[in-house]
Amino acid sequence: MRLPVPLRGPASIPFRAFGIRPSRMNPNTCTICELMFTRVMKARQVTVDVSVLFVDLRGYTTLSQSFSAETVSSLLDAFYDECAAAIWEFDGLLNKTVGDAIMAIFNFPIQQHDHAERAVLAAREIQRRWHARRELLVTNGAGLDGSDLGIGIGIDTGETSFGEFGRSHRDLTAIGTVVNTAARAQSVADAGRILVTKAVCSRAPHQTAEGECREYQLKGFEKPIELYTI
């Protein structure tokens, strides 16, 4: 899985003839890497140490009631494109897109010792990219103002179960407390904010040193959880 494979240009043509091409979940890797997923499916699930990032587009539901279906679809496409580009820049796996939300995983299938730092950097890049895209939409008269369509992001890191879950509808994804915490952190993050757990701060100290800590009562958690705004 670590052998160099040309993914673009003339050198990639022979590989494409054998079905080796960029992965749809991360174009910086190839379909050979996706063989890891086959191994996971056979094992049903594996325990992996990952960083999980959730992104949500604030105000999308309200705007979808005021704009045409074509305009709303274009906004969502732009949101997906900017998030995907940022996630892939730091070798994350774009695991899910659900409505106006995205789930990304770092450290699978390719291992990265600095996956928590990569997740934080990807989150910041998502915010930067979307801010620029939103300003462009406002300038081009899309009917938005500067306060519309902010992004909230949550990140946690640790061990999760990765595999195929479900019977009538099988879904290849990660589950566990880390996933739930990242999702809940995203849900309470204000527009334009990134909330990370103490575990993320411990693993990515250079990226989170200036973070402000506050306790949040997250849905489904008995005790308050410390989250850091970075």
Side-chain angles (χ1 to χ4, degrees):
M1 294 174 63
R2 296 185 179 277
L3 293 176
V5 174
L7 299 177
R8 302 167 186 86
S12 69
I13 294 175
F15 291 89
R16 288 176 181 267
F18 289 95
I20 301 173
R21 61 189 70 235
S23 167
R24 289 178 296 176
M25 288 184 282
N26 183 342
N28 296 325
T29 61
C30 70
T31 46
I32 292 178
C33 296
E34 292 180 356
L35 293 175
M36 175 65 78
F37 299 140
T38 303
R39 292 174 56 189
V40 170
M41 291 176 194
K42 290 180 179 178
R44 283 291 296 159
Q45 60 179 300
V46 296
T47 299
V48 290
D49 181 48
V50 296
S51 291
V52 179
L53 178 152
F54 276 88
V55 191
D56 181 76
L57 187 58
R58 303 291 192 251
Y60 171 78
T61 301
T62 301
L63 286 174
S64 66
Q65 300 172 13
S66 306
F67 291 84
S68 67
E70 183 179 355
T71 300
V72 171
S73 178
S74 296
L75 285 171
L76 202 55
D77 284 344
F79 170 67
Y80 285 157
D81 288 346
E82 298 299 345
C83 288
I87 291 165
W88 292 337
E89 180 178 341
F90 295 96
D91 279 337
L93 182 75
L94 204 166
N95 183 230
K96 282 180 177 296
T97 57
V98 183
D100 56 355
I102 285 176
M103 172 183 172
I105 297 172
F106 295 79
N107 203 37
F108 189 87
I110 302 299
Q111 292 185 345
Q112 306 147 336
H113 71 278
D114 58 345
H115 54 87
E117 183 172 344
R118 287 172 180 264
V120 172
L121 291 172
R124 287 184 169 146
E125 182 64 8
I126 287 171
Q127 292 286 15
R128 187 195 68 78
R129 282 176 173 270
W130 183 244
H131 178 77
R133 175 65 75 94
R134 186 177 60 181
E135 291 301 309
L136 184 60
L137 291 170
V138 171
T139 302
N140 290 342
L144 306 174
D145 63 46
S147 63
D148 288 327
L149 296 176
I151 285 178
I153 301 178
I155 307 173
D156 193 14
T157 187
E159 288 193 345
T160 67
S161 294
F162 196 97
E164 272 197 316
F165 301 94
R167 295 185 180 275
S168 59
H169 174 72
R170 293 190 179 279
D171 192 16
L172 184 66
T173 189
I175 64 170
T177 302
V178 169
V179 178
N180 295 338
T181 305
R184 297 306 184 191
Q186 170 267 119
S187 70
V188 297
D190 293 333
R193 297 290 187 179
I194 303 168
L195 290 181
V196 304
T197 62
K198 187 174 183 179
V200 175
C201 291
S202 297
R203 292 191 177 193
H206 297 299
Q207 297 298 328
T208 59
E210 304 299 323
E212 297 181 4
C213 179
R214 176 186 154 192
E215 286 191 342
Y216 290 80
Q217 187 62 58
L218 303 181
K219 183 178 179 181
F221 289 80
E222 293 183 0
K223 297 180 180 180
I225 303 294
E226 286 187 349
L227 297 176
Y228 295 76
T229 303
I230 60 171

